[in-house]
Amino acid sequence: MQLPPKIYHSFVRPKWLTKIYIQNNIQRHFDLSDKKVLDFGAGTGANCTLCSPNHYFGIDPDAYRIDFAKRLYSPYRFEAFIGNELPADDNCFDVVLIIAVLHHIPPEMIQSYVKEFKRVLKPGGKVVVIEPCLFEKSPISNWFMKSNDKGDYIQREEEYLHYFTEENFKCNVLSRFRKMFFYNELYFTALL
């Protein structure tokens, strides 16, 4: 069962948690304020404030979450989408932001999205990813994530990176960290 957008935004993506584990990490490495950013899997819009409203576009297949994001962050642009094709022109974004999304997508579908990221990015563009990740020497956290996360496809580091290297992205792992007590997170970029 999926949580209603307001409950999800309040309990899964509260501002303080989003600031500590997502926004601080991204701002430590990137200034997105003047970059054209596609937030893939934007959900309730918790990360839109990393960008200026006129440079941000958040997309998600969940129309209820997108409607919530539109109400909560009215200056920002959000759109629900269906299928594997992103609702964007070729070469129009500097950055594709992916926060805790890939582990919800069946592995056989991810490659088509990576091709789409490549299509919508400007030359020299980058994908910025933070995902729950299975770590080799972390059996308790791995078990906890598999048992409690709504995403059915949490993967190992090399599997996430492989999707991008297959499309000739150059990957750079920025950090591996623990979120809260039991979540292992992988933070990386994929550069064109």
Side-chain angles (χ1 to χ4, degrees):
M1 181 179 106
Q2 193 165 345
L3 295 173
K6 186 173 184 172
I7 293 172
Y8 175 85
H9 193 75
S10 298
F11 292 102
V12 178
R13 288 278 181 254
K15 285 183 182 180
W16 68 270
L17 189 66
T18 299
K19 179 78 174 139
I20 291 170
Y21 291 107
I22 297 170
Q23 294 180 350
N24 287 350
N25 271 314
I26 291 171
Q27 289 172 325
R28 193 171 298 123
H29 294 96
F30 306 103
D31 178 8
L32 301 180
S33 59
D34 64 340
K35 304 289 187 218
K36 296 269 301 174
V37 175
L38 174 66
D39 189 355
F40 177 75
T44 58
N47 296 308
C48 69
T49 57
L50 286 165
C51 313
S52 60
N54 56 338
H55 287 102
Y56 175 88
F57 182 34
I59 62 172
D60 198 284
D62 187 329
Y64 294 112
R65 288 185 184 193
I66 288 296
D67 288 343
F68 180 84
K70 285 178 179 179
R71 287 191 307 274
L72 195 60
Y73 302 104
S74 59
Y76 291 86
R77 182 175 165 219
F78 295 95
E79 186 178 312
F81 80 103
I82 301 170
N84 295 341
E85 216 170 284
L86 303 181
D89 293 331
D90 295 356
N91 306 314
C92 62
F93 292 102
D94 298 297
V95 176
V96 174
L97 190 61
I98 305 172
I99 307 299
V101 176
L102 297 178
H103 73 289
H104 292 283
I105 301 172
E108 64 274 8
M109 293 177 62
I110 292 176
Q111 206 63 48
S112 63
Y113 284 121
V114 173
K115 288 179 183 184
E116 280 291 283
F117 303 149
K118 191 174 184 178
R119 178 184 68 78
V120 302
L121 280 170
K122 294 177 183 177
K126 65 180 68 102
V127 181
V128 176
V129 182
I130 299 177
E131 281 292 326
C133 187
L134 302 174
F135 289 174
E136 190 173 312
K137 295 180 180 179
S138 194
I140 294 171
S141 291
N142 292 347
W143 169 83
F144 181 84
M145 291 186 300
K146 285 180 180 180
S147 302
N148 295 287
D149 195 281
K150 296 293 180 200
D152 292 330
Y153 310 103
I154 299 173
Q155 297 182 44
R156 296 184 328 265
E157 178 178 321
E158 58 272 13
E159 293 169 315
Y160 286 125
L161 300 179
H162 182 74
Y163 294 120
F164 293 91
T165 57
E166 277 289 298
E167 290 300 320
N168 298 315
F169 282 89
K170 290 179 179 60
C171 293
N172 181 24
V173 174
L174 299 170
S175 68
R176 299 165 189 90
F177 63 93
R178 179 158 294 156
K179 181 173 79 176
M180 304 296 279
F181 299 108
F182 293 111
Y183 265 78
N184 293 321
E185 299 279 329
L186 176 66
Y187 175 29
F188 70 95
T189 61
L191 310 171
L192 274 180

